[in-house]
Amino acid sequence: ALLNLLGLLLVFAIYHFCTKSPWIALALYLPFLGLSFYPIQDWHGQRHSVFTYFAANPIRQLPAWITCFLFAWFLKRPANGRLHLVFASGALAVWHNVEYGVPTLAASFVATLLGTQRSRRLPVVANFVVTTAATLGLVILFGYFRSGVLPQLDSIALMLKGYATAGYYNSAV
């Protein structure tokens, strides 16, 4: 429940950062809440929405919301350190959940490139490559030191295939 609340607060904060007005943010936030809690599945008498189904939120969506929040925070006052946090968070989102993490990381990278002058794009690309590689490398090293085994990419691919075929509540993606 606390992670769900954190996710809701992050989404409102993102709207507030982007609009700079709490009232406009609230006007955008209310339809988000309505869509998030609209029941889409009735499973043996339990009504689930995208927000209340535990495997969708917060497990899959929260890392993407954290990255979006950090990106909105970066846009407020662009700084190299903040950009490192955005890309590191995106890389962790990829590691945590590929199907939500890759679009999150890619969107933050493309949006940063589009908002950067041409003469300053090469440092952004370098920042992206170094930060993403370092973050994923540290996660792999941490996992290796904790378990003594490197990540098995075939197992990760098998899990992704299973989700793609069985999908959300056994509805194929």
Side-chain angles (χ1 to χ4, degrees):
L2 289 177
L3 291 177
N4 285 338
L5 178 62
L6 175 64
L8 286 173
L9 292 175
L10 284 173
V11 171
F12 182 78
I14 292 165
Y15 284 141
H16 189 259
F17 272 148
C18 294
T19 62
K20 298 178 182 155
S21 164
W23 295 110
I24 295 173
L26 183 63
L28 294 171
Y29 187 62
L30 290 176
F32 167 80
L33 285 178
L35 290 172
S36 296
F37 287 104
Y38 183 78
I40 59 172
Q41 183 78 32
D42 187 357
W43 188 263
H44 302 292
Q46 296 178 356
R47 297 181 62 112
H48 291 284
S49 67
V50 173
F51 195 83
T52 60
Y53 177 53
F54 71 94
N57 183 58
I59 294 173
R60 287 195 169 98
Q61 295 173 348
L62 187 61
W65 287 341
I66 291 170
T67 303
C68 290
F69 171 78
L70 290 173
F71 185 73
W73 180 61
F74 162 76
L75 290 177
K76 194 171 183 177
R77 263 195 343 245
N80 212 19
R82 289 181 178 208
L83 192 57
H84 281 298
L85 280 175
V86 170
F87 292 150
S89 173
L92 290 173
V94 168
W95 187 260
H96 174 72
N97 191 318
V98 175
E99 64 266 13
Y100 281 84
V102 169
T104 300
L105 181 61
S108 61
F109 175 65
V110 169
T112 304
L113 276 183
L114 291 176
T116 305
Q117 298 171 351
R118 283 187 187 247
S119 61
R120 298 190 36 126
R121 287 186 180 164
L122 189 58
V124 169
V125 171
N127 186 334
F128 173 77
V129 170
V130 169
T131 304
T132 303
T135 302
L136 292 176
L138 286 172
V139 169
I140 289 170
L141 279 174
F142 177 76
Y144 178 75
F145 287 130
R146 293 276 301 166
S147 67
V149 178
L150 288 173
Q152 298 173 357
L153 296 179
D154 57 335
S155 296
I156 295 170
L158 181 66
M159 292 300 293
L160 289 174
K161 181 181 175 187
Y163 182 74
T165 55
Y168 175 81
Y169 250 118
N170 293 323
S171 302
V173 176

